[in-house]
Amino acid sequence: MYPTMHLALFATLVALILIATLVPFSRATQWWIRDLDFPRLQITIVALVVLAAQLLVDDLADPVSQGLIAVNALCLGYQAWWIIPYTRIYPREVKAALGVSEAERIRILTANVLTPNRNTDGLIALIREHQPDVFVTLETDAWWQERLDVLETDYPHALKCPLDNLYGMHVYSRLPLEDAAIQFLVEDDIPSMHALAILPSGRKVRMHFLHPAPPSPTEHDESTERDAELLVVAKSVAEVDTPVIVAGDLNDVAWSTTTRLFRKISGLLDPRIGRGMFNTFHADHWFLRWPLDHLFHSRHFTLSFIRRLPHFGSDHFPVLVELAYDRVRGAAQEGLAADEDDLALAEQKIAAEPVEVDDVHEPQA
């Protein structure tokens, strides 16, 4: 390839990488801006491949080539900064569980089933194999509910909200549930579920299950609805003494500005930090995957394990997490801290929607 041709190609590729890197700096909530938070892993890989090609074929003495290499390297470093915490080279945020009795453990399975998916047997087989204490399903309608109800013998405690709009939600639990509520916090057709789960030890754990709508051309032009729902729940659980778990398909990646803001405001920990990305979507496209299904928890817990389970026909993989109550060891765990700018940004995002922190049901231990 002639020098001018490959230089033009690299200039085009670096310009695209630079645009994809700079646009998310904006706090604008338009879907096409916020959706660039998602493919940071893919952008990092592309930037790395382009950088390798530049170093191999460019004239490294040429000032233009040097400039393009420098810009690409800076973009690569910045994109990598967001995703490196979700690799094993980063220190773990949550400690491994040690010597905690079974009575103080809770195992939770979350699964976005994809409403048109009809492989209920596949999901039920996973539930019976892994024996979660609680499982939450998303996008479940009345058809799914009828088939999941066969598990009620083992999971007699449930919250059910079957819907045909891809936002149905069900929680089934072998643990007793207290002070439970189904709410529609931001949108009239998108539920969330809130309850206290009682561990075999008698300890009560506050749980919130969420599935806000994403910013996209087919859903919402902006991310305001999603952001407000996440942040009112974050504020409602901040600094509470009761053990807390928040889980679900948040329609946001683990490394986005909004999810990081959720962690800062709530004070909750992410067990994936230092362990892996556990990408759950899209199950059918290995080259377009990111972590959309989450579980965050308070410092009361350490981690027994976190696993991505096999594909059962949905566009999401299910996730299985077991936490162990260990307040002594957990107290030394540290997550992200909010500063004044974070607090102001959270208030601004909440104010964009007709919802307040007091609207969130707070199960009382």
Side-chain angles (χ1 to χ4, degrees), residues 27 261 264-265 337-347:
R27 288 185 173 178
L261 185 60
K264 290 177 180 180
I265 299 300
D339 58 25
E340 291 299 321
D341 185 59
D342 295 321
L343 296 173
L345 180 58
E347 291 294 340

Side-chain angles (χ1 to χ4, degrees), residues 24-29 34 37 82 223-224 226-232 234-235 252 256-265 337-353 357:
F25 270 94
S26 168
R27 288 185 173 178
T29 57
R34 295 281 54 92
D37 288 326
W82 288 88
S223 66
T224 56
R226 180 198 67 188
D227 298 352
E229 181 168 341
L230 295 181
L231 291 169
V232 291
K235 291 196 71 172
D252 198 15
S256 79
T257 303
T258 300
T259 298
R260 283 175 58 85
L261 185 60
F262 169 88
R263 291 172 55 210
K264 290 177 180 180
I265 299 300
D339 58 25
E340 291 299 321
D341 185 59
D342 295 321
L343 296 173
L345 180 58
E347 291 294 340
Q348 175 186 332
K349 286 181 173 291
I350 291 171
E353 292 294 325
V357 176

Side-chain angles (χ1 to χ4, degrees), residues 72-85:
N72 190 25
L74 288 171
C75 292
L76 171 61
Y78 178 75
Q79 295 289 356
W81 177 85
W82 288 88
I83 62 176
I84 283 175

